[in-house]
Every structure is written in C-alpha cells, then in structure tokens.
Amino acid sequence: MNIVSTWHSVRRSLEHSGTYLAPLGLRILLAWEFFEAGLMKYQGSNWFTQIQSNFPFPFDVVPTEISWTLATYVELIGGVAILVGLGTRFFSFSLIVLTVVATAAVHWPGEWSTLSELLQGYSISDKGFGNYKLPALYLAMLVPLLFVGPGKLSADHLVARLVARSRGNGKSDVSLLQPA
C-alpha cells in the first residue's frame, strides 16, 4: 500500500467518523453551557428589567417576565434537545436568536469608536469594553448545527431513518432531514 492510498483510506475513515463525532462534540458543549445558563435563570430572579432598554427591537417591548421565562425555557429545553439531537435545527436557530439578543443587551461594548476598542471586548472578562467572546464562540458552534444538522449520533437522524423505513423509500424521501 502506498502513501497516497493510505492517506485516502485514513481520510475516508476520518470523514465517516466525523459525521458521528464532530457534531456530537459541539452538541455536548453547547448543551452544557445553555442548560447551565437556563438553570441559573430558573433558580434566580429576573434581572431583565434592568437591561430591557438594551434589548434590540422587538424584544425591548416584550414584558420582561415573558422574556425571562422564554429565555429560561429555551436554554433549558434547548440544552437538552441539542444534547440528544432532537429538533436540532429549530433549537439551534432559537439559541442563535437568544445569543444575538444577549450579546446586544449585555455583552456588546456600550461605546466604541475604533476597531481596536471593539476588539478589546473580545474577552471573557468585562473591563469596560464588553465581553462578547463566549457568545461569539457559541454562535460559531450553533451555525454548523443549524446548516449541517446534528450528525448521525442524534435523535433527528434516528427519526429520519425511521420515517424513511416506514415509507419504504429509503434515504431519498428524507434527504432534507438527514445530515450529510
């Protein structure tokens, strides 16, 4: 076996394993982070009233009790759903919206006049320039789940296979449901 055929064999194995493991890693990290944030909201008190004016429209006109409850349950239910890979695209989109609103309301710098000042906010700690690093990382992990799906180790994939089997048509009828 020459080096080229060995490389092609290794690459095929990695690509096959990647359809199972790569999205699973993203899902585990995101599930942990969002479930933990939802649990903190569930056990805490509503502080959205203090920052409602920072929310982008239309979220700035929604009563804070509704916003708080929605954010809490989207994080809790979305975290569990992302973990098992059920409704992954729906919950990825929901968590993207939640993360964008949170970034605008809490994590984006209040004022900045240069790109270098804006980039100072790309951090984990807030030193007056914002702290949008974690939300940016969450968005970077959610986008592949939205566009590519949860991978083959997921409830979504299992449901798609069961639907295809029940229709007797194989993979073609559910190609939009199954991850590549």
Side-chain angles (χ1 to χ4, degrees), residues 101-160:
V101 171
T103 302
V106 178
H107 302 286
W108 198 253
E111 294 180 20
W112 55 278
S113 57
T114 66
L115 186 57
S116 92
E117 283 181 0
L118 176 64
L119 291 176
Q120 289 177 6
Y122 186 73
S123 67
I124 303 292
S125 65
D126 185 5
K127 295 189 175 151
F129 293 100
N131 59 346
Y132 59 86
K133 185 175 190 170
L134 281 177
L137 293 172
Y138 296 157
L139 290 173
M141 291 188 284
L142 286 164
V143 167
L145 294 178
L146 176 66
F147 287 110
V148 179
K152 292 185 177 180
L153 280 178
S154 67
D156 286 344
H157 183 73
L158 178 63
V159 168

Side-chain angles (χ1 to χ4, degrees), residues 18-39:
T19 62
Y20 290 89
L21 299 177
L24 178 63
L26 294 176
R27 290 186 4 241
I28 290 169
L29 283 168
L30 288 165
W32 175 271
E33 292 297 326
F34 281 107
F35 187 83
E36 184 179 53
L39 197 56

Side-chain angles (χ1 to χ4, degrees), residues 15-16 35 45 55 63 66-67 74 88 96 111 153 158 176 179:
E15 287 173 358
H16 178 72
F35 187 83
S45 60
F55 289 172
I66 293 173
S67 294
V74 165
T88 305
I96 286 169
E111 294 180 20
L153 280 178
L158 178 63
L176 292 175

